[in-house]
Amino acid sequence: MKNIFFLIVFSLFISCLGKNKVPSEIIQPGKMQKILWDVIRAQALSTEIARKDSTVNEIAETKVLTQKVFEIYKITSTTFNQSYMWYTNHPDIMRIVFDSLNAQNQRESQLEMKEKHPPLKLDPLKKLNPLKNLNSLKKIEY
């Protein structure tokens, strides 16, 4: 009886191990995250280009830029589409990839904010004297 119970538990354990494993023919999560990030950026760029230049077809521009992303990563659109479909059928793994994308987006947004608006450098030893600033104002004559 113990052997049967052990066999059932062991077989359940083994069957669950391969559940979250990405097959070798599918783009692995780390690389998929990078590709998706660049595809999203390519789509945003094509939208921006089409918005600035009315002669540019946004759909065609998106296809061109997305194809360049695939060339950079040395994959085909078929490989990407098959991998993307696999991830959509495995939402638990897809969630991990999208959570990583979200974290990356937040990091880049914070970096952009720091570059655009650097923090004020105040000397903590110097105290601000509001009266000093009032004395330096010129009198307004009417």
Side-chain angles (χ1 to χ4, degrees), residues 28-52:
Q28 296 303 301
K31 187 174 181 180
M32 187 66 168
Q33 176 202 341
K34 292 175 185 175
I35 295 169
L36 280 171
W37 179 254
D38 287 343
V39 166
I40 291 168
R41 291 174 60 203
Q43 290 172 345
L45 179 60
S46 64
T47 300
E48 189 68 23
I49 291 170
R51 189 177 63 82
K52 289 182 179 180

PDB file of all heavy atoms in Angstrom, residues 28-52:
ATOM      1  N   GLN A  28      13.503  31.087 -25.522  1.00  0.00           N
ATOM      2  CA  GLN A  28      13.562  31.018 -24.061  1.00  0.00           C
ATOM      3  C   GLN A  28      13.132  32.357 -23.441  1.00  0.00           C
ATOM      4  O   GLN A  28      13.247  33.413 -24.072  1.00  0.00           O
ATOM      5  CB  GLN A  28      14.967  30.625 -23.610  1.00  0.00           C
ATOM      6  CG  GLN A  28      15.378  29.238 -24.071  1.00  0.00           C
ATOM      7  CD  GLN A  28      14.419  28.150 -23.600  1.00  0.00           C
ATOM      8  OE1 GLN A  28      14.216  27.971 -22.410  1.00  0.00           O
ATOM      9  NE2 GLN A  28      13.817  27.430 -24.538  1.00  0.00           N
ATOM     10  N   PRO A  29      12.600  32.326 -22.212  1.00  0.00           N
ATOM     11  CA  PRO A  29      12.008  33.529 -21.611  1.00  0.00           C
ATOM     12  C   PRO A  29      12.902  34.770 -21.607  1.00  0.00           C
ATOM     13  O   PRO A  29      12.426  35.868 -21.907  1.00  0.00           O
ATOM     14  CB  PRO A  29      11.687  33.086 -20.172  1.00  0.00           C
ATOM     15  CG  PRO A  29      11.495  31.617 -20.277  1.00  0.00           C
ATOM     16  CD  PRO A  29      12.453  31.157 -21.345  1.00  0.00           C
ATOM     17  N   GLY A  30      14.164  34.634 -21.258  1.00  0.00           N
ATOM     18  CA  GLY A  30      15.047  35.802 -21.223  1.00  0.00           C
ATOM     19  C   GLY A  30      15.185  36.464 -22.580  1.00  0.00           C
ATOM     20  O   GLY A  30      15.108  37.688 -22.711  1.00  0.00           O
ATOM     21  N   LYS A  31      15.396  35.649 -23.592  1.00  0.00           N
ATOM     22  CA  LYS A  31      15.529  36.178 -24.948  1.00  0.00           C
ATOM     23  C   LYS A  31      14.187  36.704 -25.453  1.00  0.00           C
ATOM     24  O   LYS A  31      14.135  37.740 -26.121  1.00  0.00           O
ATOM     25  CB  LYS A  31      16.063  35.087 -25.881  1.00  0.00           C
ATOM     26  CG  LYS A  31      16.385  35.588 -27.264  1.00  0.00           C
ATOM     27  CD  LYS A  31      17.048  34.507 -28.111  1.00  0.00           C
ATOM     28  CE  LYS A  31      17.399  35.027 -29.493  1.00  0.00           C
ATOM     29  NZ  LYS A  31      18.033  33.991 -30.314  1.00  0.00           N
ATOM     30  N   MET A  32      13.098  36.013 -25.099  1.00  0.00           N
ATOM     31  CA  MET A  32      11.763  36.453 -25.523  1.00  0.00           C
ATOM     32  C   MET A  32      11.449  37.817 -24.941  1.00  0.00           C
ATOM     33  O   MET A  32      10.877  38.667 -25.615  1.00  0.00           O
ATOM     34  CB  MET A  32      10.710  35.415 -25.111  1.00  0.00           C
ATOM     35  CG  MET A  32       9.338  35.697 -25.646  1.00  0.00           C
ATOM     36  SD  MET A  32       9.328  35.562 -27.450  1.00  0.00           S
ATOM     37  CE  MET A  32       7.583  35.581 -27.775  1.00  0.00           C
ATOM     38  N   GLN A  33      11.852  38.031 -23.697  1.00  0.00           N
ATOM     39  CA  GLN A  33      11.625  39.331 -23.074  1.00  0.00           C
ATOM     40  C   GLN A  33      12.347  40.428 -23.858  1.00  0.00           C
ATOM     41  O   GLN A  33      11.772  41.476 -24.151  1.00  0.00           O
ATOM     42  CB  GLN A  33      12.103  39.329 -21.636  1.00  0.00           C
ATOM     43  CG  GLN A  33      11.971  40.684 -20.981  1.00  0.00           C
ATOM     44  CD  GLN A  33      12.878  40.872 -19.800  1.00  0.00           C
ATOM     45  OE1 GLN A  33      13.369  39.915 -19.224  1.00  0.00           O
ATOM     46  NE2 GLN A  33      13.123  42.109 -19.442  1.00  0.00           N
ATOM     47  N   LYS A  34      13.599  40.191 -24.210  1.00  0.00           N
ATOM     48  CA  LYS A  34      14.374  41.186 -24.959  1.00  0.00           C
ATOM     49  C   LYS A  34      13.761  41.447 -26.331  1.00  0.00           C
ATOM     50  O   LYS A  34      13.666  42.594 -26.772  1.00  0.00           O
ATOM     51  CB  LYS A  34      15.815  40.716 -25.119  1.00  0.00           C
ATOM     52  CG  LYS A  34      16.584  40.688 -23.821  1.00  0.00           C
ATOM     53  CD  LYS A  34      17.964  40.107 -24.012  1.00  0.00           C
ATOM     54  CE  LYS A  34      18.685  39.972 -22.691  1.00  0.00           C
ATOM     55  NZ  LYS A  34      19.973  39.299 -22.820  1.00  0.00           N
ATOM     56  N   ILE A  35      13.334  40.382 -27.001  1.00  0.00           N
ATOM     57  CA  ILE A  35      12.733  40.528 -28.335  1.00  0.00           C
ATOM     58  C   ILE A  35      11.425  41.302 -28.232  1.00  0.00           C
ATOM     59  O   ILE A  35      11.180  42.235 -29.007  1.00  0.00           O
ATOM     60  CB  ILE A  35      12.527  39.160 -29.001  1.00  0.00           C
ATOM     61  CG1 ILE A  35      13.879  38.491 -29.281  1.00  0.00           C
ATOM     62  CG2 ILE A  35      11.720  39.289 -30.283  1.00  0.00           C
ATOM     63  CD1 ILE A  35      13.785  37.041 -29.692  1.00  0.00           C
ATOM     64  N   LEU A  36      10.571  40.929 -27.279  1.00  0.00           N
ATOM     65  CA  LEU A  36       9.298  41.633 -27.108  1.00  0.00           C
ATOM     66  C   LEU A  36       9.526  43.107 -26.797  1.00  0.00           C
ATOM     67  O   LEU A  36       8.823  43.970 -27.322  1.00  0.00           O
ATOM     68  CB  LEU A  36       8.474  40.991 -25.991  1.00  0.00           C
ATOM     69  CG  LEU A  36       7.704  39.740 -26.358  1.00  0.00           C
ATOM     70  CD1 LEU A  36       7.118  39.096 -25.115  1.00  0.00           C
ATOM     71  CD2 LEU A  36       6.608  40.048 -27.352  1.00  0.00           C
ATOM     72  N   TRP A  37      10.514  43.392 -25.960  1.00  0.00           N
ATOM     73  CA  TRP A  37      10.824  44.786 -25.620  1.00  0.00           C
ATOM     74  C   TRP A  37      11.178  45.568 -26.889  1.00  0.00           C
ATOM     75  O   TRP A  37      10.681  46.668 -27.102  1.00  0.00           O
ATOM     76  CB  TRP A  37      11.962  44.827 -24.609  1.00  0.00           C
ATOM     77  CG  TRP A  37      12.369  46.221 -24.222  1.00  0.00           C
ATOM     78  CD1 TRP A  37      13.477  46.889 -24.608  1.00  0.00           C
ATOM     79  CD2 TRP A  37      11.641  47.119 -23.384  1.00  0.00           C
ATOM     80  NE1 TRP A  37      13.504  48.136 -24.054  1.00  0.00           N
ATOM     81  CE2 TRP A  37      12.385  48.307 -23.298  1.00  0.00           C
ATOM     82  CE3 TRP A  37      10.433  47.024 -22.693  1.00  0.00           C
ATOM     83  CZ2 TRP A  37      11.953  49.399 -22.553  1.00  0.00           C
ATOM     84  CZ3 TRP A  37      10.014  48.124 -21.951  1.00  0.00           C
ATOM     85  CH2 TRP A  37      10.766  49.283 -21.884  1.00  0.00           C
ATOM     86  N   ASP A  38      12.026  44.989 -27.722  1.00  0.00           N
ATOM     87  CA  ASP A  38      12.438  45.680 -28.935  1.00  0.00           C
ATOM     88  C   ASP A  38      11.309  45.758 -29.959  1.00  0.00           C
ATOM     89  O   ASP A  38      11.198  46.745 -30.692  1.00  0.00           O
ATOM     90  CB  ASP A  38      13.676  45.011 -29.534  1.00  0.00           C
ATOM     91  CG  ASP A  38      14.932  45.308 -28.717  1.00  0.00           C
ATOM     92  OD1 ASP A  38      14.917  46.262 -27.911  1.00  0.00           O
ATOM     93  OD2 ASP A  38      15.932  44.575 -28.877  1.00  0.00           O
ATOM     94  N   VAL A  39      10.448  44.755 -30.023  1.00  0.00           N
ATOM     95  CA  VAL A  39       9.292  44.799 -30.929  1.00  0.00           C
ATOM     96  C   VAL A  39       8.342  45.906 -30.483  1.00  0.00           C
ATOM     97  O   VAL A  39       7.844  46.676 -31.320  1.00  0.00           O
ATOM     98  CB  VAL A  39       8.575  43.427 -30.985  1.00  0.00           C
ATOM     99  CG1 VAL A  39       7.205  43.538 -31.627  1.00  0.00           C
ATOM    100  CG2 VAL A  39       9.429  42.416 -31.739  1.00  0.00           C
ATOM    101  N   ILE A  40       8.109  46.016 -29.196  1.00  0.00           N
ATOM    102  CA  ILE A  40       7.237  47.082 -28.677  1.00  0.00           C
ATOM    103  C   ILE A  40       7.832  48.451 -28.992  1.00  0.00           C
ATOM    104  O   ILE A  40       7.123  49.371 -29.424  1.00  0.00           O
ATOM    105  CB  ILE A  40       7.011  46.905 -27.159  1.00  0.00           C
ATOM    106  CG1 ILE A  40       6.155  45.666 -26.905  1.00  0.00           C
ATOM    107  CG2 ILE A  40       6.368  48.142 -26.550  1.00  0.00           C
ATOM    108  CD1 ILE A  40       6.118  45.228 -25.456  1.00  0.00           C
ATOM    109  N   ARG A  41       9.128  48.588 -28.803  1.00  0.00           N
ATOM    110  CA  ARG A  41       9.787  49.863 -29.114  1.00  0.00           C
ATOM    111  C   ARG A  41       9.734  50.157 -30.616  1.00  0.00           C
ATOM    112  O   ARG A  41       9.575  51.310 -31.027  1.00  0.00           O
ATOM    113  CB  ARG A  41      11.227  49.834 -28.615  1.00  0.00           C
ATOM    114  CG  ARG A  41      11.279  49.850 -27.080  1.00  0.00           C
ATOM    115  CD  ARG A  41      12.655  49.690 -26.515  1.00  0.00           C
ATOM    116  NE  ARG A  41      13.522  50.763 -26.957  1.00  0.00           N
ATOM    117  CZ  ARG A  41      14.840  50.677 -26.995  1.00  0.00           C
ATOM    118  NH1 ARG A  41      15.447  49.582 -26.610  1.00  0.00           N
ATOM    119  NH2 ARG A  41      15.557  51.697 -27.383  1.00  0.00           N
ATOM    120  N   ALA A  42       9.877  49.114 -31.445  1.00  0.00           N
ATOM    121  CA  ALA A  42       9.792  49.296 -32.902  1.00  0.00           C
ATOM    122  C   ALA A  42       8.393  49.763 -33.293  1.00  0.00           C
ATOM    123  O   ALA A  42       8.240  50.645 -34.151  1.00  0.00           O
ATOM    124  CB  ALA A  42      10.143  47.994 -33.621  1.00  0.00           C
ATOM    125  N   GLN A  43       7.373  49.198 -32.662  1.00  0.00           N
ATOM    126  CA  GLN A  43       6.004  49.618 -32.952  1.00  0.00           C
ATOM    127  C   GLN A  43       5.773  51.069 -32.529  1.00  0.00           C
ATOM    128  O   GLN A  43       5.136  51.840 -33.255  1.00  0.00           O
ATOM    129  CB  GLN A  43       5.004  48.686 -32.269  1.00  0.00           C
ATOM    130  CG  GLN A  43       4.974  47.311 -32.874  1.00  0.00           C
ATOM    131  CD  GLN A  43       4.138  46.326 -32.085  1.00  0.00           C
ATOM    132  OE1 GLN A  43       3.783  46.569 -30.928  1.00  0.00           O
ATOM    133  NE2 GLN A  43       3.827  45.204 -32.705  1.00  0.00           N
ATOM    134  N   ALA A  44       6.298  51.438 -31.374  1.00  0.00           N
ATOM    135  CA  ALA A  44       6.155  52.821 -30.913  1.00  0.00           C
ATOM    136  C   ALA A  44       6.880  53.782 -31.846  1.00  0.00           C
ATOM    137  O   ALA A  44       6.370  54.861 -32.165  1.00  0.00           O
ATOM    138  CB  ALA A  44       6.687  52.953 -29.489  1.00  0.00           C
ATOM    139  N   LEU A  45       8.063  53.374 -32.308  1.00  0.00           N
ATOM    140  CA  LEU A  45       8.824  54.216 -33.229  1.00  0.00           C
ATOM    141  C   LEU A  45       8.088  54.386 -34.551  1.00  0.00           C
ATOM    142  O   LEU A  45       8.021  55.492 -35.094  1.00  0.00           O
ATOM    143  CB  LEU A  45      10.211  53.622 -33.472  1.00  0.00           C
ATOM    144  CG  LEU A  45      11.119  54.386 -34.436  1.00  0.00           C
ATOM    145  CD1 LEU A  45      11.369  55.807 -33.936  1.00  0.00           C
ATOM    146  CD2 LEU A  45      12.429  53.637 -34.635  1.00  0.00           C
ATOM    147  N   SER A  46       7.513  53.311 -35.066  1.00  0.00           N
ATOM    148  CA  SER A  46       6.786  53.414 -36.338  1.00  0.00           C
ATOM    149  C   SER A  46       5.558  54.306 -36.194  1.00  0.00           C
ATOM    150  O   SER A  46       5.240  55.071 -37.107  1.00  0.00           O
ATOM    151  CB  SER A  46       6.391  52.033 -36.853  1.00  0.00           C
ATOM    152  OG  SER A  46       5.485  51.406 -35.973  1.00  0.00           O
ATOM    153  N   THR A  47       4.905  54.255 -35.050  1.00  0.00           N
ATOM    154  CA  THR A  47       3.768  55.144 -34.804  1.00  0.00           C
ATOM    155  C   THR A  47       4.228  56.592 -34.787  1.00  0.00           C
ATOM    156  O   THR A  47       3.587  57.473 -35.373  1.00  0.00           O
ATOM    157  CB  THR A  47       3.082  54.777 -33.471  1.00  0.00           C
ATOM    158  OG1 THR A  47       2.624  53.437 -33.542  1.00  0.00           O
ATOM    159  CG2 THR A  47       1.921  55.702 -33.166  1.00  0.00           C
ATOM    160  N   GLU A  48       5.355  56.843 -34.131  1.00  0.00           N
ATOM    161  CA  GLU A  48       5.898  58.201 -34.050  1.00  0.00           C
ATOM    162  C   GLU A  48       6.313  58.716 -35.434  1.00  0.00           C
ATOM    163  O   GLU A  48       6.043  59.864 -35.784  1.00  0.00           O
ATOM    164  CB  GLU A  48       7.086  58.216 -33.082  1.00  0.00           C
ATOM    165  CG  GLU A  48       7.599  59.580 -32.753  1.00  0.00           C
ATOM    166  CD  GLU A  48       6.622  60.408 -31.934  1.00  0.00           C
ATOM    167  OE1 GLU A  48       5.742  59.844 -31.259  1.00  0.00           O
ATOM    168  OE2 GLU A  48       6.738  61.645 -31.986  1.00  0.00           O
ATOM    169  N   ILE A  49       6.953  57.860 -36.213  1.00  0.00           N
ATOM    170  CA  ILE A  49       7.379  58.249 -37.568  1.00  0.00           C
ATOM    171  C   ILE A  49       6.165  58.581 -38.419  1.00  0.00           C
ATOM    172  O   ILE A  49       6.144  59.602 -39.120  1.00  0.00           O
ATOM    173  CB  ILE A  49       8.233  57.136 -38.211  1.00  0.00           C
ATOM    174  CG1 ILE A  49       9.582  57.032 -37.506  1.00  0.00           C
ATOM    175  CG2 ILE A  49       8.416  57.380 -39.707  1.00  0.00           C
ATOM    176  CD1 ILE A  49      10.392  55.802 -37.909  1.00  0.00           C
ATOM    177  N   ALA A  50       5.137  57.728 -38.359  1.00  0.00           N
ATOM    178  CA  ALA A  50       3.932  57.952 -39.167  1.00  0.00           C
ATOM    179  C   ALA A  50       3.181  59.200 -38.706  1.00  0.00           C
ATOM    180  O   ALA A  50       2.569  59.894 -39.523  1.00  0.00           O
ATOM    181  CB  ALA A  50       3.024  56.727 -39.100  1.00  0.00           C
ATOM    182  N   ARG A  51       3.247  59.484 -37.425  1.00  0.00           N
ATOM    183  CA  ARG A  51       2.575  60.678 -36.912  1.00  0.00           C
ATOM    184  C   ARG A  51       3.247  61.950 -37.419  1.00  0.00           C
ATOM    185  O   ARG A  51       2.594  62.934 -37.740  1.00  0.00           O
ATOM    186  CB  ARG A  51       2.583  60.659 -35.381  1.00  0.00           C
ATOM    187  CG  ARG A  51       1.728  61.746 -34.747  1.00  0.00           C
ATOM    188  CD  ARG A  51       1.701  61.641 -33.237  1.00  0.00           C
ATOM    189  NE  ARG A  51       2.994  61.813 -32.614  1.00  0.00           N
ATOM    190  CZ  ARG A  51       3.559  63.001 -32.343  1.00  0.00           C
ATOM    191  NH1 ARG A  51       2.946  64.110 -32.679  1.00  0.00           N
ATOM    192  NH2 ARG A  51       4.729  63.070 -31.761  1.00  0.00           N
ATOM    193  N   LYS A  52       4.576  61.908 -37.528  1.00  0.00           N
ATOM    194  CA  LYS A  52       5.318  63.083 -37.975  1.00  0.00           C
ATOM    195  C   LYS A  52       5.329  63.233 -39.493  1.00  0.00           C
ATOM    196  O   LYS A  52       5.493  64.335 -39.995  1.00  0.00           O
ATOM    197  CB  LYS A  52       6.755  63.022 -37.455  1.00  0.00           C
ATOM    198  CG  LYS A  52       6.852  63.249 -35.966  1.00  0.00           C
ATOM    199  CD  LYS A  52       8.278  63.219 -35.497  1.00  0.00           C
ATOM    200  CE  LYS A  52       8.357  63.473 -34.001  1.00  0.00           C
ATOM    201  NZ  LYS A  52       9.736  63.452 -33.515  1.00  0.00           N
TER     202      LYS A  52
END
